Amino acid sequence: MIFMQFRHALVRPPGTSYSAGLTNSTEGPPDLPRALDQHRSYCDVLRRCGLDLTVLAEESAHPDGTFVEDTAVLLPGLAVISRPGATSRRGETRSVEAALRPYFSRMLYIVEPGTVDGGDICAADDHFFIGLSARTNESGARQLAQILKEAGYGSTLVDIRASKTLLHLKSGITYLGDRQLVLSSDAPRIDSFERYELLTLIPEENYAANCLAINGHVLIAEGYPHFADALRRRGHEIMPLNMSEFRKMDGGLTCLSLRF
Ligand code: CIR
């Protein structure tokens, strides 16, 4: 991993306007009290993984503000503040930037006309897969690739713009460490993935592809037994979490935090 061990995470509970956020899901509106409960459980698990949490205040002007991952890409000593692809989400970066500043000696920015959502950025050791999506455009991807190159990291663009099911690259791809890559059945296949041991999900469990490896644990969405077994067989210690109210807003486990 870029960060061998994570120590901190930035999170923001869903706020009063949460149900007004962007979504393509047909599962109906989220229930805020349940979403808050699920968020509390998520924070508890992050703490059990050894992380100190910075909890940002909700901002009712930003219904999608709980999905903090999209607002930055973090490297040791360097925070890249993104420019989210959805205009309704642009203002979320301000409070995130302020909260990250004490921890990062350098801050860089994705600038117009570029857009990047952190959910499109998948770090695999010292290499980054950058999703080109409805949210991350070519200018943003190129800006980020250049920043990464100057910081000593390689990157590969992965075009998911033709996908009807993946909002972000990490909706379908997660790196677990030890060269293991989780792929949803609808994730793109590119040659570079052949360098990894691939764990491919069955279509009914694709949502679970967005999982989160932290300090020797793997957080997974509850209710995906085939994937949970596949992880256990490989010796992973899994921590299942009910994600129903985030799934309704197209969110997953990685989206809810920035880890560093
Ligand atoms: C959005 O559409 O922007 C939010 N409702 C969901 C963002 C999920 N973020 C992520 O996958 N990194």
Side-chain angles (χ1 to χ4, degrees):
M1 287 285 184
I2 301 299
F3 291 98
M4 299 299 285
Q5 192 80 5
F6 293 104
R7 290 166 184 236
H8 303 276
L10 194 72
V11 294
R12 183 187 335 251
T16 47
S17 63
Y18 178 53
S19 63
L22 303 169
T23 186
N24 294 311
S25 162
T26 53
E27 293 175 21
D31 178 295
L32 182 59
R34 286 181 68 193
L36 285 166
D37 266 357
Q38 292 175 4
H39 196 270
R40 268 189 290 276
S41 301
Y42 178 82
C43 292
D44 287 346
V45 164
L46 292 184
R47 290 190 182 98
R48 273 166 44 208
C49 291
L51 304 191
D52 279 336
L53 299 195
T54 298
V55 182
L56 296 179
E58 71 131 319
E59 293 174 340
S60 54
H62 298 121
D64 283 307
T66 190
F67 302 115
V68 286
E69 172 179 62
D70 293 320
T71 58
V73 177
L74 304 180
L75 308 172
L78 169 63
V80 182
I81 304 301
S82 75
R83 184 166 179 269
T87 46
S88 64
R89 301 199 56 191
R90 298 259 161 90
E92 294 172 25
T93 57
R94 189 189 302 257
S95 52
V96 169
E97 178 182 348
L100 291 175
R101 197 167 279 285
Y103 298 99
F104 290 87
S105 51
R106 287 179 76 211
M107 314 282 279
L108 292 174
Y109 302 86
I110 302 297
V111 295
E112 204 175 348
T115 60
V116 168
D117 272 17
D120 279 316
I121 315 306
C122 177
D125 299 325
D126 57 357
H127 195 81
F128 285 75
F129 294 104
I130 303 177
L132 276 176
S133 70
R135 300 291 179 86
T136 295
N137 66 15
E138 292 193 28
S139 165
R142 273 199 304 274
Q143 290 177 41
L144 183 62
Q146 184 61 30
I147 290 170
L148 292 170
K149 188 172 168 198
E150 284 165 16
Y153 303 107
S155 62
T156 302
L157 298 192
V158 185
D159 194 343
I160 60 164
R161 286 174 294 188
S163 171
K164 293 191 169 53
T165 46
L166 300 176
L167 172 64
H168 289 121
L169 182 65
K170 275 190 290 190
S171 311
I173 295 176
T174 298
Y175 184 62
L176 294 178
D178 290 331
R179 308 217 63 75
Q180 295 178 32
L181 198 63
V182 175
L183 293 181
S184 60
S185 68
D186 53 353
R189 299 295 190 269
I190 60 167
D191 291 346
S192 321
F193 292 165
E194 299 310 323
R195 297 202 301 265
Y196 299 89
E197 181 193 345
L198 302 179
L199 268 91
T200 306
L201 280 80
I202 56 172
E204 300 74 31
E205 296 201 355
N206 276 345
Y207 175 75
N210 183 270
C211 55
L212 183 53
I214 302 189
N215 300 349
H217 309 276
V218 182
L219 281 57
I220 64 167
E222 203 172 87
Y224 301 93
H226 292 94
F227 181 50
D229 282 349
L231 290 173
R232 280 195 207 96
R233 279 199 304 276
R234 284 173 174 79
H236 291 291
E237 196 204 315
I238 59 169
M239 301 177 117
L241 282 162
N242 187 343
M243 293 293 292
S244 66
E245 304 316 299
F246 298 108
R247 182 178 160 139
K248 289 174 181 170
M249 299 307 288
D250 290 343
L253 286 158
T254 64
C255 326
L256 292 180
S257 59
L258 280 164
R259 290 80 46 192
F260 53 101

